[in-house]
Amino acid sequence: MSSIATPAAGPLVEVKDLTVRFTGRDLDVSVVNGVSFTLERGSSLCILGESGSGKSVTMRALMRLFPPTARLDGTVRVDGIDVLALQENQLRRIRGGLISMIFQEPMTALDPVFTIGQQIAETLVYHEGISYRAANARALQLLELVQVPSAKRRLEAYPHELSGGLRQRGMIALALACKPKLLLADEPTTALDATVQIQILLLLRELQREMGMATIFVTHDLGVACEVADKIAVMYAGKFVESGSVEQVIDNPRHPYTQGLMNSTIHADMRGVALDPIPGAPPDLTDLPPGCPFAPRCAAAREPCLEHMPELVLLPGGQQARCLQYAPGSGFAQAPALKASCAA
Ligand SMILES: Nc1ncnc2c1ncn2[C@@H]1O[C@H](COP(=O)(O)OP(=O)(O)O)[C@@H](O)[C@H]1O
Ligand SMILES: [Mg+2]
């Protein structure tokens, strides 16, 4: 891979102006529209947003896990490797090696016809070229690492023989098998009940720190984001609309969409406080309005919001928000407010 790799220094992940479009006979829709971010080695980013905002597609772009109808543009570099320039056989080597992914539904990653132990061992043999004997021993250590009780017996189990929580731990063990530098976790706990969710999140955070892995979590749950991340990026209609450290975004959300997410989520200290859902629904990506895509749902919107797509504005402390109210010279401050409307 020498021609496409640069020396592994600097951030582990660099994404610049990423766009992902799906095209087909009756289809042409751009679902990720110019996403840029960097992720330092060993640190953790959480991508937050409602369903359909492009979170999973952004994650898949990091490993180019797409059907042939996808068109990717921009730059994706992971550990100095230009992911968008890789051949299919080179991609297979980085998937599960340098980068691995855990999904909301373990059955998307686990093969129903092989035992958990066989699947972990196969991955190790493929990526690390070790013997089956050594791979089986490592598989047992991995199940113990992810705190599967009676790990030895569970190695022999088929995925359907395990509970949801144990299946998820099995998938995490598989994802960690080759000590990835980047772990992608796409709503890894949403299918589980609340206590198991917390156990798995705490386990992931601990493993991330112990193994020095960088992690990108995707969630629509602010509580999860606070628990696991160093940085948060909030996504809306295929763009990042706010980013910053967890403290910045949680204590002082600047984009009206992030503020709306906060008001519509249960926090630890808000017993008895009524939730205030964001009115309306996310826009149709095939028919985006010309201005800010959140404007039709935004209580703070003013006339210029319907005309101009805001750029990300750098705020004090490094926080960023894509909102005209922070953009000098946008005419926002002088413009009349729009009546908050409900798009749905
Ligand atoms: N393979 C695909 N072909 C066409 N559209 C897709 C494909 N995968 C995802 N999309 C669309 O891209 C948009 C973003 O999806 P996704 O990233 O899965 O959202 P989420 O933020 O819920 O993870 C959705 O409108 C979805 O329907
Ligand atoms: Mg998703």
Side-chain angles (χ1 to χ4, degrees), residues 69-292:
T69 52
R71 300 275 170 275
L72 279 79
D73 266 303
T75 311
V76 176
R77 297 188 86 83
V78 181
D79 205 21
I81 295 171
D82 181 352
V83 175
L84 302 193
L86 294 181
Q87 306 292 324
E88 204 47 48
N89 60 339
Q90 296 171 310
L91 277 172
R92 269 199 298 279
R93 294 228 62 98
I94 66 160
R95 291 179 188 144
L98 173 66
I99 313 175
S100 64
M101 184 143 169
I102 53 180
F103 300 87
Q104 179 176 340
E105 178 40 67
M107 293 311 270
T108 38
L110 295 174
D111 193 324
V113 301
F114 294 100
T115 67
I116 298 289
Q118 286 167 333
Q119 297 184 52
I120 298 175
E122 277 297 339
T123 300
L124 284 163
V125 169
Y126 175 75
H127 283 285
E128 305 207 341
I130 58 176
S131 68
Y132 275 96
R133 193 189 162 92
N136 285 329
R138 281 272 292 283
L140 177 60
Q141 287 170 350
L142 280 157
L143 281 197
E144 284 166 350
L145 179 72
V146 298
Q147 297 162 15
V148 167
S150 316
K152 201 161 183 171
R153 188 157 56 80
R154 257 63 186 250
L155 279 179
E156 313 293 321
Y158 289 89
H160 71 269
E161 295 175 318
L162 300 175
S163 68
L166 284 183
R167 261 207 299 267
Q168 194 64 307
R169 285 173 195 266
M171 180 166 60
I172 294 171
L174 181 64
L176 298 180
C178 301
K179 301 197 182 74
K181 290 186 182 168
L182 177 62
L183 178 70
L184 306 175
D186 193 351
E187 311 222 22
T189 59
T190 359
L192 304 171
D193 67 48
T195 14
V196 184
Q197 277 195 28
I198 293 167
Q199 288 166 2
I200 301 259
L201 285 174
L202 293 178
L203 171 71
L204 276 173
R205 191 176 61 179
E206 200 180 299
L207 291 171
Q208 185 230 334
R209 289 185 182 155
E210 254 170 42
M211 298 174 64
M213 269 180 312
T215 311
I216 305 180
F217 282 90
V218 157
T219 181
H220 56 261
D221 185 328
L222 265 173
V224 169
C226 296
E227 204 54 63
V228 296
D230 302 314
K231 286 203 288 188
I232 292 184
V234 181
M235 196 159 187
Y236 192 78
K239 284 184 187 294
F240 282 2
V241 297
E242 174 151 11
S243 66
S245 69
V246 172
E247 293 74 23
Q248 287 171 334
V249 177
I250 299 294
D251 296 346
N252 190 13
R254 304 296 294 271
H255 195 286
Y257 177 61
T258 317
Q259 293 164 355
L261 285 180
M262 301 274 282
N263 294 335
S264 60
T265 309
I266 299 171
H267 314 272
D269 57 354
M270 60 182 283
R271 184 183 281 260
V273 178
L275 292 179
D276 191 7
I278 304 174
D284 176 359
L285 293 173
T286 59
D287 188 20
L288 281 176
C292 169

Side-chain angles (χ1 to χ4, degrees), residues 22 27 31 50-57 67 285:
F22 293 105
L27 179 79
V31 302
E50 285 166 297
S51 175
S53 52
K55 305 181 299 296
S56 296
V57 170
L285 293 173

